[in-house]
Amino acid sequence: METVSRSRCRTSRYFPWLSSPLGALGVGTAREPKRITPVTIQCMDSNDTVSCEQIGVLHKRFKQLSHNEDTLRREHFNAIHDLAWNPIRAQIIEAFFDRRNLIPPGEGSMEEIHLEEFLVVMSHFKPPSLSMTDEERDSVRREKLRFLFNMHDTDNDGTITLEEYRHVVEELLSRSGHIGKETAVSIADAAMLEVAGISMGHMEPDEFYEGITFEHFLKLLNSFEIEAKMNVRFLNMNASTVCY
Amino acid sequence: MQPCGFAYIWILCSVLLIFVVLGSPVVNETVKHQNSSTQENGNNSRIPIVSFRWEHVKGPYVVAVGVLVAFLSKLVIEANHNVTSVIPESALLICFGFVLGFIIWGADKVELFKLTPTVFFLYLLPQIVLDAGYFMPNKLFFRNIGTILVCAVIGTLWNAVSLGFTLCVCQKGGAMGDLDMDLLHYLLFSSVIAAVDPVAVFSVFEEVHVNEVLFILVFGESLVNDGVTVMLFNTIEAFIPLTKPIDFLDILRAIVSFFLVAVGGSLLGLLFGLMLSLLTRYTRSIQIIEPGFIFVVGYLSYLTAEMLSLSAILSTICCGVSCKKYINANMDERSVTTVRYAMKVLANGSETIIFVFLGIAAVDKTLWVWNTGLVILTLIFIVVYRFIDCVCCIGVFFLTWIMNKFRLIQLEVIDQIIMSYGGLRGAVAYGLAVMLDEKKIKEKNLMVSTTLIVVYFTVILQGLTLKPLVTWLKVKRASDTEHSLIETVQNKVFEHMLVAIEDIAGQFGHNYMMDKWNHFEEKWVAPILMKPSARKNQDYVFKVFHRLNLKDAISYVTEGERNGSLGLIRNQSGVIELEKKFAQKSSEAMPDIMANMGDELGAVSTLGREPWPSVSLDMHEQKGAKQTEDISHHLLQQHLYKGRKQHRHRYSRSYIEVNKDKKEAQEIFQRTMRNRLESFKTTKMGLAAKTLTKYPKKLHEHKMSSGKLYRYANEDPDIAEEEEDSTSSYEASDDSLTMKVLRKAEAENEKPTFVLETEAAESTLAPPWLSGTEADSNAATPSERARERLPCTPSSIRRAPSTESVAQADAADVEDSSDEELALPSTPPPSTPPPSTPPPSTSPPSTPPPSTPPPSTPPPSTSTSPPPD
């Protein structure tokens, strides 16, 4: 058991806290997820107590959301009360069912997810540790941006086209109520123009910008300290937040 | 002016100041003498024609001249940039204060220039604090509030208590000789000196540009610890006459008093802030004094807290923080600008005065009581305890407990070092020390002088070394604050995402709280405090969008104006003359632009810095005096709009007049179109060819424009427009040139032989970049697919399109765009430039054949003027 987890550690070393227990369970492949009972979630690495705690917390939450079933479906997410306010709820829920966000990225989307997938998606929001080398930081950053990118790129063709981007901006601004759809479209267009300018450099007059590729996406958000921002604490979950 | 020139002026003024002060008694006597002599001379009590009444204005006069000198020293300092990049401004100001102090000392007028606690706490500090509160980055502050509070409360307490005890022990050990001080005195002293000073911290850290989290930690701490300082100071001072030992009840009282001081002050400030927000909802009718409310109410919040012996700083900070959002939304944009500037003027001014006076304070013989032991020990322990405080408190404390509770991102060790090193002491400590009662505390002067030494040490020495330290330790610096639109959008996406993840994970995290608060605020607070009309523009993404649009519009207008006007130069000869100038200028600028083409920052920004002379300058340069005068008259007549009814110069205290005449814009527009049409016709008649032959020297430039034109004729007008407006900000926006393009269009069609000639010449002579693009445009027309996509070229980003222009670009409708294009370069109304002006698109349409001039009637201006936001 222990040796397996160690080897898994190497494949997904950016998520040591996940890889140790989940790797042991063969989560890495995510093709044929096994059932996980609370008993099977145990900590391999004694140093990593916090993350074990986190997994426990998340597992509890998983059970809560799924009403003690083994899988989560979209309607479970839709039933989360607080999420109803969120303007980009659809994208976020979709991200949980997107195979691209799993550790060996797949394609297409799933109908239901198990705890492993749930944890893997959640692991994108893990705070970085202090003692990271620059290289590690870079890859963490990449990983997180990839998640964000996948959220925008709905048709999975490797680029965020103008339509896709417009869609996001429209949704984003739909909640504020005061801003019309046209404004949203023009904001999206202006942003896209900006993107084209930043990522392409000089363009010939008959060239057109296809959309944001991931490389451009990295470049665009260069000054955006995603590794410092894209973090959620998974501790101290209040068990009373029962979903409806 | 030369830097040394400033220095001379400064010295001159300070000498003047001394003379003013010194001269007063002398003048008084002479005046009296004269008065008496006149009375003696003639009994006829005539009214004196001129009377010199120095006594009458003496007080304010000295203050005003003193302030003037302080400001001038800032001027001198700012003029020497190579010095300020090494030595922080605050340190330099203190040094200027030293010099001034010696001058004053020489004049023996020390008592006139003392920084009394009353002046400092009631007149100088409030505006600095209000400024800090008003400009506080709220989100950042509240995100780090846990750390700030721990630093401010526990850290300051620790500093004060440990320093007090240590010094007391040292005295017992005999390190300081014979001093009449006991433990309470030392505690009092250390409580005065423990607190980090917001003024000093702000002025030093502002120049260092450390990352924002670090900045907000130090700065926030320096603001919040005022509560602790006031509490400690009041409590210990109250204890000092007591002879009985302090019992448990007293300590309990102190703790209660602390909470009262801090929480009460904050609540009071909040109250004032809400009041202020509510007030600004209804002040539209008295717009001109609207900004005054902010200052008055802010000041009142300070004074009220001071009156109730609550923490005045906390109160004012809370007032500023809480009202900022609402007053910005409620007030007119001009009022907001006024508030911002006035706030900065006041805060910066009083900061300058404070530092200069801190320097002056050094030169006071009566003050100085030197005790080497105390000074050295204090300095050492201040640094040491501050270091321990920061590293232990944040490092150890946080790592184990608070880190998990409040902070996701740990502070790095380097940040902690900078935090501890940035613990500067300043005028607040000095003010508190001067406030001590000499009857109760016999060693007051010793305390004051030691405080001064500490202040000088921290501000000058630490301030001086902070920058190299930051560089040496490779502390993360602040990134530029200008956010692009896409980053803003991403940020927004991000926030929602984090909230959603917390919701899904069932966490009550930071984002969750923030989201809940936002909802609460939007639902309950905003409707009460904010005008309904103002709530529209609250969305942050929209704000950035709006701001970028505004910037583009402004840069468009200034660009156009730099090149004459927004394209109204019609006079034939005038056009040519000006064109000559601009052609030279633009060809000079070209390599520059080329270098920037690849750069994402675009050409416009570099151009913006290019000091192009304005039209009038250009025309004066020209030697043909009579002709140019003619031209200038003509130009002025045509383009400087003179209203139908003469503008009434009326003085009104209650409002600033803005020309809101709608008709004016309309008329300018029509005039433009008429001119345009006329010149169009004249070029058709072959005038253009004439001018060309008349000015053979400008062949190069003509070639270029014709080359450009040729391309446009071949291209999809849609692209041409984008291309035009992007690649040629130097050229197309200059409307005199674009008119020429227009005329060239005609010339080309009418006189093919000429075109051929220039074509041939061009292929050999044109600069490579131009021929490159031309070859391109010759190669192919864009595909169908290309039309569907957003056509964009790199440097057009600077000209983020307005709603309309984007729509226009999207439409890709040939007829439409041709119509629009001709209408576009209308001048915006001179009074208020529209927030989002469409990009200058001046390329001639290709589809409508030029034999029929496209717009026989100018399209109605409403179709082209962008919708007001």
Side-chain angles (χ1 to χ4, degrees):
Chain A
M1 201 80 168
E2 184 116 15
T3 52
V4 176
S5 88
R6 290 281 171 243
S7 67
R8 289 289 175 197
C9 262
R10 224 158 285 129
T11 55
S12 57
R13 68 196 148 110
Y14 313 125
F15 307 102
W17 64 287
L18 265 183
S19 62
S20 41
L22 291 180
L25 294 161
V27 172
T29 60
R31 290 290 171 218
E32 283 180 46
K34 291 169 189 159
R35 291 200 162 187
I36 299 178
T37 57
V39 186
T40 51
I41 296 182
Q42 43 187 286
C43 287
M44 291 298 163
D45 200 343
S46 57
N47 292 332
D48 221 4
T49 48
V50 179
S51 28
C52 286
E53 204 181 328
Q54 283 175 334
I55 290 177
V57 165
L58 284 175
H59 181 247
K60 229 194 258 171
R61 179 65 179 169
F62 184 87
K63 285 283 173 204
Q64 237 178 35
L65 289 177
S66 64
H67 303 290
N68 281 326
E69 288 174 34
D70 286 334
T71 56
L72 270 177
R73 286 181 305 280
R74 285 181 176 82
E75 63 256 31
H76 289 136
F77 282 100
N78 283 326
I80 299 174
H81 180 66
D82 292 325
L83 210 57
W85 285 342
N86 210 308
I88 52 167
R89 180 181 54 163
Q91 274 96 339
I92 288 164
I93 295 177
E94 208 46 52
F96 275 89
F97 295 94
D98 197 335
R99 284 191 208 277
R100 284 177 295 171
N101 291 330
L102 299 180
I103 286 297
E107 266 191 33
S109 66
M110 297 169 282
E111 283 307 308
E112 50 179 30
I113 54 169
H114 294 261
L115 177 61
E116 306 87 63
E117 287 98 337
F118 183 70
L119 289 178
V120 168
V121 173
M122 280 298 191
S123 76
H124 287 102
F125 293 89
K126 180 190 169 270
S129 69
L130 243 187
S131 54
M132 262 193 308
T133 61
D134 282 350
E135 205 174 296
E136 276 172 339
R137 194 180 293 274
D138 211 48
S139 56
V140 166
R141 176 185 169 74
R142 235 183 136 77
E143 202 72 38
K144 294 194 170 190
L145 279 173
R146 175 59 90 176
F147 184 83
L148 200 61
F149 183 81
N150 286 344
M151 223 173 79
H152 287 315
D153 181 22
T154 42
D155 63 354
N156 189 23
D157 62 348
T159 55
I160 302 173
T161 56
L162 181 60
E163 279 72 32
E164 284 168 342
Y165 196 71
R166 268 188 197 160
H167 182 65
V168 173
V169 176
E170 268 169 40
E171 298 244 303
L172 191 66
L173 298 176
S174 62
R175 283 283 152 174
S176 55
H178 309 294
I179 294 171
K181 196 178 168 187
E182 277 164 34
T183 318
V185 167
S186 64
I187 287 177
D189 290 350
M192 209 62 173
L193 266 176
E194 227 177 43
V195 170
I198 294 171
S199 50
M200 291 302 283
H202 180 60
M203 272 169 47
E204 301 301 333
D206 57 343
E207 253 185 302
F208 287 93
Y209 194 57
E210 301 278 344
I212 311 169
T213 62
F214 183 61
E215 293 306 316
H216 291 166
F217 198 66
L218 277 178
K219 203 162 135 192
L220 284 174
L221 301 178
N222 208 5
S223 61
F224 196 77
E225 292 191 347
I226 196 164
E227 66 270 19
K229 283 181 183 164
M230 191 163 154
N231 305 306
V232 175
R233 259 178 308 115
F234 302 115
L235 270 182
N236 315 316
M237 187 192 73
N238 193 330
S240 66
T241 55
V242 188
C243 69
Y244 300 75
Chain B
M1 199 186 281
Q2 293 301 310
C4 57
F6 285 124
Y8 286 136
I9 288 183
W10 182 77
I11 290 170
L12 205 73
C13 276
S14 37
V15 170
L16 177 89
L17 171 72
I18 301 310
F19 275 125
V20 165
V21 178
L22 271 184
S24 57
V26 184
V27 172
N28 267 337
E29 276 164 29
T30 51
V31 167
K32 264 181 206 160
H33 182 69
Q34 273 171 3
N35 277 348
S36 57
S37 64
T38 46
Q39 275 187 353
E40 276 167 23
N41 277 355
N43 278 336
N44 45 353
S45 54
R46 258 182 267 157
I47 301 162
I49 297 167
V50 181
S51 58
F52 192 82
R53 297 185 294 170
W54 165 250
E55 279 305 324
H56 184 59
V57 293
K58 183 183 165 193
Y61 206 94
V62 170
V63 171
V65 177
V67 171
L68 179 72
V69 170
F71 283 6
L72 280 176
S73 34
K74 183 140 179 155
L75 185 68
V76 177
I77 289 163
E78 281 304 311
N80 298 291
H81 263 295
N82 44 352
V83 178
T84 42
S85 60
V86 181
I87 308 168
E89 202 185 284
S90 44
L92 282 174
L93 281 173
I94 287 183
C95 294
F96 267 85
F98 288 152
V99 178
L100 207 60
F102 274 109
I103 298 175
I104 291 166
W105 182 64
D108 201 21
K109 284 281 170 192
V110 178
E111 73 280 358
L112 260 177
F113 292 93
K114 250 187 183 167
L115 185 63
T116 59
T118 325
V119 170
F120 174 70
F121 282 110
L122 295 190
Y123 301 114
L124 292 176
L125 194 58
Q127 56 258 44
I128 294 180
V129 179
L130 187 63
D131 171 80
Y134 183 77
F135 287 99
M136 178 80 79
N138 285 358
K139 206 185 237 170
L140 201 61
F141 181 71
F142 286 112
R143 214 163 253 281
N144 295 298
I145 189 109
T147 320
I148 291 173
L149 280 180
V150 169
C151 274
V153 178
I154 300 175
T156 311
L157 271 179
W158 152 257
N159 267 343
V161 173
S162 58
L163 183 67
F165 276 104
T166 316
L167 287 179
C168 189
V169 168
C170 286
Q171 195 210 358
K172 292 270 159 30
M176 292 168 219
D178 190 25
L179 282 180
D180 185 17
M181 284 169 85
D182 58 10
L183 177 63
L184 272 181
H185 288 104
Y186 279 116
L187 279 177
L188 188 62
F189 173 66
S190 59
S191 77
V192 162
I193 220 164
V196 176
D197 181 65
V199 185
V201 162
F202 192 76
S203 69
V204 169
F205 270 74
E206 202 181 16
E207 294 167 31
V208 181
H209 302 295
V210 293
N211 61 60
E212 47 184 18
V213 174
L214 187 53
F215 177 75
I216 201 74
L217 285 183
V218 182
F219 186 51
E221 184 208 335
S222 71
L223 287 171
V224 175
N225 69 16
D226 176 65
V228 183
T229 316
V230 171
M231 179 274 293
L232 269 180
F233 187 78
N234 288 344
T235 316
I236 298 173
E237 205 186 18
F239 281 149
I240 280 194
L242 294 183
T243 44
K244 73 176 177 77
I246 299 158
D247 60 4
F248 178 71
L249 207 64
D250 288 325
I251 292 171
L252 203 68
R253 265 164 190 268
I255 293 169
V256 170
S257 120
F258 163 68
F259 278 105
L260 206 67
V261 163
V263 178
S266 311
L267 284 181
L268 189 76
L270 199 66
L271 200 70
F272 270 96
L274 296 184
M275 199 175 85
L276 185 56
S277 316
L278 206 58
L279 203 62
T280 48
R281 251 190 97 157
Y282 305 106
T283 49
R284 178 146 288 232
S285 51
I286 43 165
Q287 217 182 66
I288 208 80
I289 56 165
E290 205 173 41
F293 280 107
I294 317 299
F295 297 102
V296 171
V297 176
Y299 192 41
L300 274 180
S301 78
Y302 186 92
L303 289 184
T304 313
E306 194 77 41
M307 180 178 75
L308 300 173
S309 71
L310 301 175
S311 165
I313 291 186
L314 275 181
S315 164
T316 316
I317 291 284
C318 277
C319 179
V321 164
S322 58
C323 72
K324 172 184 174 184
K325 181 179 174 187
Y326 305 109
I327 61 176
N328 279 358
N330 280 340
M331 287 196 310
D332 190 76
E333 203 158 320
R334 277 171 293 166
S335 303
V336 174
T337 315
T338 313
V339 168
R340 292 166 70 93
Y341 275 91
M343 200 84 95
K344 284 290 168 212
V345 169
L346 287 176
N348 216 322
S350 64
E351 187 190 286
T352 310
I353 295 168
I354 286 171
F355 280 122
V356 170
F357 272 75
L358 269 182
I360 293 177
V363 189
D364 186 355
K365 265 194 295 189
T366 56
L367 180 87
W368 285 108
V369 181
W370 185 265
N371 185 317
T372 318
L374 182 66
V375 168
I376 290 175
L377 283 172
T378 311
L379 285 181
I380 290 172
F381 285 119
I382 272 182
V383 175
V384 167
Y385 284 129
R386 171 82 191 162
F387 191 76
I388 292 174
D389 155 38
C390 279
V391 173
C392 288
C393 193
I394 298 160
V396 181
F397 210 13
F398 267 86
L399 271 178
T400 52
W401 180 62
I402 293 183
M403 161 68 204
N404 289 329
K405 295 275 177 207
F406 292 111
R407 289 202 74 82
L408 282 172
I409 308 301
Q410 272 173 305
L411 280 175
E412 291 173 34
V413 180
I414 292 173
D415 285 354
Q416 290 168 17
I417 292 171
I418 294 296
M419 263 184 87
S420 58
Y421 201 73
L424 307 178
R425 270 65 165 183
V428 172
Y430 174 70
L432 283 175
V434 175
M435 255 166 63
L436 291 174
D437 190 356
E438 206 159 352
K439 284 172 204 146
K440 281 195 218 164
I441 299 139
K442 297 194 179 66
E443 301 286 355
K444 179 193 166 186
N445 278 345
L446 178 67
M447 284 191 191
V448 173
S449 51
T450 314
T451 310
L452 266 181
I453 289 290
V454 170
V455 169
Y456 295 148
F457 175 80
T458 53
V459 172
I460 297 177
L461 270 181
Q462 292 193 11
L464 199 67
T465 45
L466 188 64
K467 211 170 192 175
L469 192 71
V470 164
T471 323
W472 183 60
L473 287 176
K474 297 192 186 72
V475 175
K476 233 190 281 167
R477 299 295 186 100
S479 52
D480 50 347
T481 46
E482 187 97 352
H483 280 297
S484 61
L485 194 57
I486 183 149
E487 274 180 316
T488 319
V489 171
Q490 263 341 303
N491 222 337
K492 193 96 174 173
V493 167
F494 221 73
E495 278 169 23
H496 285 300
M497 192 168 76
L498 290 183
V499 173
I501 294 296
E502 284 197 354
D503 287 340
I504 289 170
Q507 304 283 313
F508 287 136
H510 216 288
N511 299 297
Y512 179 86
M513 291 302 191
M514 207 72 126
D515 196 49
K516 279 278 180 290
W517 160 250
N518 282 342
H519 275 284
F520 171 77
E521 199 247 306
E522 202 165 303
K523 210 170 173 186
W524 300 105
V525 184
I528 298 171
L529 296 180
M530 216 184 271
K531 271 182 202 164
S533 60
R535 293 175 58 198
K536 186 193 164 201
N537 299 332
Q538 280 305 297
D539 191 276
Y540 187 63
V541 175
F542 183 77
K543 262 192 217 158
V544 172
F545 180 60
H546 179 72
R547 201 190 61 214
L548 289 178
N549 271 344
L550 209 62
K551 210 168 70 183
D552 286 332
I554 289 170
S555 75
Y556 164 55
V557 170
T558 46
E559 232 171 86
E561 277 170 356
R562 199 187 303 124
N563 297 343
S565 78
L566 283 170
L568 307 181
I569 303 166
R570 290 299 153 271
N571 186 299
Q572 285 300 318
S573 49
V575 169
I576 298 301
E577 287 298 314
L578 289 172
E579 271 171 8
K580 187 169 71 176
K581 279 280 161 205
F582 290 135
Q584 284 168 1
K585 289 281 171 2
S586 55
S587 56
E588 275 165 26
M590 251 167 234
D592 209 339
I593 290 154
M594 272 312 293
N596 272 295
M597 286 298 252
D599 201 327
E600 56 261 52
L601 287 175
V604 180
S605 55
T606 41
L607 261 185
R609 271 177 252 121
E610 203 89 358
W612 282 19
S614 65
V615 173
S616 60
L617 271 179
D618 251 18
M619 288 198 299
H620 288 306
E621 274 172 37
Q622 287 167 12
K623 294 296 183 286
K626 201 194 166 210
Q627 199 200 359
T628 43
E629 236 169 65
D630 237 29
I631 296 165
S632 62
H633 276 304
H634 204 85
L635 283 174
L636 285 177
Q637 204 180 6
Q638 269 189 316
H639 310 304
L640 297 186
Y641 185 82
K642 214 191 302 169
R644 273 279 151 72
K645 43 184 182 199
Q646 204 67 23
H647 194 69
R648 246 179 288 151
H649 289 287
R650 150 176 95 169
Y651 174 74
S652 164
R653 188 168 285 151
S654 59
Y655 94 157
I656 302 169
E657 237 174 273
V658 179
N659 200 347
K660 283 179 186 141
D661 199 355
K662 285 267 163 53
K663 278 183 191 163
E664 192 172 309
Q666 192 82 22
E667 191 174 321
I668 287 176
F669 175 74
Q670 279 169 3
R671 210 183 265 185
T672 318
M673 289 316 297
R674 211 181 306 132
N675 279 329
R676 196 155 266 249
L677 215 62
E678 268 166 27
S679 68
F680 199 74
K681 277 179 195 156
T682 48
T683 35
K684 266 189 75 186
M685 305 309 269
L687 278 175
K690 230 191 261 172
T691 52
L692 279 175
T693 46
K694 214 166 142 191
Y695 295 93
K697 276 178 192 168
K698 285 173 287 302
L699 205 65
H700 175 66
E701 191 253 336
H702 288 306
K703 261 175 271 147
M704 289 192 334
S705 55
S706 79
K708 215 160 177 48
L709 170 82
Y710 182 68
R711 194 160 42 112
Y712 291 144
N714 274 337
E715 249 173 19
D716 192 328
D718 193 7
I719 308 165
E721 182 204 320
E722 284 289 327
E723 170 68 23
E724 168 80 42
D725 111 62
S726 59
T727 60
S728 53
S729 48
Y730 48 92
E731 206 174 350
S733 52
D734 170 4
D735 222 273
S736 61
L737 277 177
T738 52
M739 258 327 286
K740 192 151 167 20
V741 175
L742 267 179
R743 272 191 288 115
K744 279 307 292 175
E746 283 315 299
E748 202 172 3
N749 279 297
E750 299 280 309
K751 303 201 176 233
T753 47
F754 173 70
V755 174
L756 273 179
E757 185 188 304
T758 47
E759 275 292 323
E762 199 223 330
S763 56
T764 54
L765 285 175
W769 61 275
L770 192 74
S771 59
T773 45
E774 200 195 355
D776 242 299
S777 59
N778 275 339
T781 48
S783 59
E784 270 305 305
R785 182 168 142 278
R787 284 191 197 197
E788 287 170 17
R789 305 279 173 154
L790 194 66
C792 34
T793 41
S795 40
S796 63
I797 50 153
R798 277 291 146 200
R799 201 175 295 295
S802 67
T803 322
E804 202 199 54
S805 67
V806 170
Q808 183 190 331
D810 269 358
D813 188 326
V814 174
E815 295 297 325
D816 238 33
S817 57
S818 72
D819 248 4
E820 297 239 333
E821 273 161 27
L822 268 157
L824 277 172
S826 65
T827 7
S831 53
T832 52
S836 53
T837 317
S841 51
T842 42
S843 63
S846 62
T847 6
S851 52
T852 55
S856 51
T857 52
S861 66
T862 45
S863 73
T864 58
S865 64
D869 297 281

